[in-house]
Amino acid sequence: MTGSRVVALGHYQPAKVLTNDDLAAMVDTSDEWITSRVGIKTRHVGGPGEPVDELAAHAGAKALAAAGLQPSDIDLVLVATSTAIDRSPSMSARVAARLSMGSPAVMDINVVCSGFTHALAVADHTIRAGAATRALVIGADKMADIADWTDRTTCVLLGDGAGAAVVTADPSAPDAPGGPGIGPVLWGSVPEMGNAVRIEGTPPRFAQEGQSVYRWATTQLPPIARKVCEKAGVSPEDLAAVVLHQANLRIIEPVARKIGAVNAIIARDVVDSGNTSAASIPMALSKLVERGEVASGAPVLLFGFGGNLSYAGQVIRCP
């Protein structure tokens, strides 16, 4: 069976940076309060003229350039997002139009913070089934549009951005040294806790039960993440990098420690970018690769979690 592989990455963030001191002028907070509780220093926020599909297209174009491919080479576009305001055209259709693609299949996937790892699994399965050969998988969210800027417990978390991966068919992937380019996904949810993270109302606003999410993430997710490694045939000690959803540094660090990835680089892009929902994993991974911090072919754990109290993870070989 044909496997698949991530061959290139790209990311994009709006130019405007919002610091903790900027937020302190807007709500009752401070740099010390934010840093001590969530570890975030800055976040990028887009303006009214920067829609989600524009962020996504910029990241996608960079990933395509890094892969040495033309937009017309892509036959599947998946955009993971929970901040698309319009029902149609979808973000994926708008990205395809912005990039002047040929006639790709286009689908949006809304699993909030674990959207990218869900979308990556869908791309892998689609290629394995022979229904596509080259996919552009994007996580993009504009959280500033759904932030309650009067709520100091949530507005300090959120940022905007997009990250993209080019996934191609790879006949050697199932038997490649070190395992497949994209390992088996492990995904699921906790439906009875689905309301712990919400984007609801008109206009939609982000809200969460922070303590419930923190307890769930730090206690329930580490053994699931270890099972992801087991499914991929990789020991946590052999991981070169761990890229978790960039929700909160106080979640990322204990979860990474409990996974047992003692030799891995731990992505901490949340410090500079905040919580960008579906964009956080591909954006953080793209930056690690751009800085040359992870060797090509090295095993990397991607693990998304959050809204719907859903999760999805896989081990991939670094492009």
Side-chain angles (χ1 to χ4, degrees), residues 153-178:
T153 65
T154 57
C155 73
V156 301
L157 300 171
L158 306 177
D160 301 341
V166 174
V167 181
T168 67
D170 184 355
S172 69
D175 301 313

Side-chain angles (χ1 to χ4, degrees), residues 40-265:
I40 298 169
K41 284 290 188 180
T42 61
R43 69 286 293 147
H44 292 245
V45 295
E50 296 176 282
V52 175
D53 57 292
E54 180 177 320
L55 307 183
H58 281 307
K62 290 183 178 181
L64 286 170
L69 295 174
Q70 297 299 315
S72 58
D73 294 325
I74 298 298
D75 50 17
L76 173 64
V77 181
L78 300 175
V79 175
T81 185
S82 57
T83 53
I85 302 302
D86 299 326
R87 305 291 197 276
S88 180
S90 65
M91 292 298 101
S92 50
R94 288 177 172 175
V95 167
R98 282 184 179 272
L99 296 180
S100 300
M101 291 181 165
S103 55
V106 290
M107 286 179 279
D108 287 2
I109 294 178
N110 179 3
V111 204
V112 200
C113 307
S114 59
F116 178 79
T117 43
H118 277 82
L120 187 61
V122 171
D124 174 51
H125 297 165
T126 304
I127 289 172
R128 287 175 179 270
T133 56
R134 297 185 185 97
L136 181 60
V137 184
I138 303 173
D141 271 306
K142 194 177 177 190
M143 303 302 287
D145 280 353
I146 60 169
D148 179 351
W149 293 104
T150 66
D151 180 3
R152 72 169 188 165
T153 65
T154 57
C155 73
V156 301
L157 300 171
L158 306 177
D160 301 341
V166 174
V167 181
T168 67
D170 184 355
S172 69
D175 301 313
I182 298 177
V185 69
L186 178 59
W187 50 14
S189 65
V190 186
E192 64 270 22
M193 293 182 66
N195 284 333
V197 180
R198 303 178 300 280
I199 301 173
E200 295 177 331
T202 305
R205 289 290 176 260
F206 172 86
Q208 69 172 359
E209 297 169 12
Q211 288 302 312
S212 296
V213 174
Y214 175 84
R215 286 192 297 270
W216 172 73
T218 54
T219 60
Q220 302 302 310
L221 294 185
I224 298 173
R226 288 195 294 271
K227 288 180 182 177
V228 174
C229 296
E230 182 180 337
K231 285 174 71 74
V234 174
S235 167
E237 292 83 1
D238 293 332
L239 291 169
V242 171
V243 185
L244 305 175
H245 166 50
Q246 303 291 292
N248 178 332
L249 197 61
R250 305 305 173 231
I251 292 176
I252 292 167
E253 291 181 333
V255 171
R257 183 174 62 252
K258 291 176 182 179
I259 290 171
V262 293
N263 299 310
I265 293 170

